[in-house]
C-alpha cells in the first residue's frame, strides 16, 4: 500500500502516551492503525444506516437473537480450544 506523509495536530498528552507504548518509528504506524480502525467503524456505521433505511430498524428480539447466537459460537469455540484438549 502506498503511503503519503501528512501533518496532523495531536494533543501533546496523547503523543506522549503513544510514545510510552511504541518506539519513535512506531508512532506513525500506531496513528495509521487508529485512523484505519476509525475509517472501518465509519464505513460499518454507514452500512448499518443504509441497511436500516432499506429494511427497517433491528428489533430488540432480533438483537437478542443475534447476541445469543454469538454467545453460542463463542461457547463452541471455547470448548474446541480448551486447555484440557491441548493437554490430551
Amino acid at each position: 500500500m502506498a503511503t503519503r506523509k501528512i501533518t496532523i495536530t495531536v494533543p501533546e498528552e496523547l503523543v506522549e502516551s503513544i510514545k510510552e507504548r511504541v518506539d519513535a518509528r512506531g508512532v506513525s504506524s500506531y496513528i495509521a492503525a487508529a485512523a484505519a480502525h476509525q475509517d472501518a467503524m465509519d464505513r460499518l456505521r454507514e452500512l448499518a444506516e443504509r441497511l436500516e433505511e432499506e429494511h427497517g430498524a433491528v428489533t430488540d428480539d432480533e438483537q437478542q437473537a443475534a447476541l445469543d447466537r454469538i454467545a453460542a459460537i463463542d461457547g463452541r469455540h471455547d470448548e474446541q480450544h480448551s486447555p484440557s484438549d491441548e493437554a490430551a
Side-chain angles (χ1 to χ4, degrees), residues 42-61:
D42 291 345
R43 290 171 181 266
L44 185 58
R45 187 188 72 253
E46 291 165 1
L47 173 60
E49 289 169 357
R50 284 196 312 270
L51 291 172
E52 189 170 305
E53 286 176 11
E54 185 175 336
H55 300 287
V58 175
T59 66
D60 290 342
D61 289 342

Side-chain angles (χ1 to χ4, degrees), residues 14-74:
L14 180 56
V15 173
E16 293 308 315
S17 179
I18 293 169
K19 284 183 175 182
E20 290 174 6
R21 290 169 178 72
V22 298
D23 64 20
R25 286 191 240 173
V27 172
S28 289
S29 295
Y30 189 97
I31 291 176
H37 175 78
Q38 185 62 50
D39 182 61
M41 294 298 98
D42 291 345
R43 290 171 181 266
L44 185 58
R45 187 188 72 253
E46 291 165 1
L47 173 60
E49 289 169 357
R50 284 196 312 270
L51 291 172
E52 189 170 305
E53 286 176 11
E54 185 175 336
H55 300 287
V58 175
T59 66
D60 290 342
D61 289 342
E62 291 168 330
Q63 184 175 4
Q64 188 59 54
L67 293 172
D68 292 345
R69 186 166 183 203
I70 291 169
I73 292 168
D74 283 346

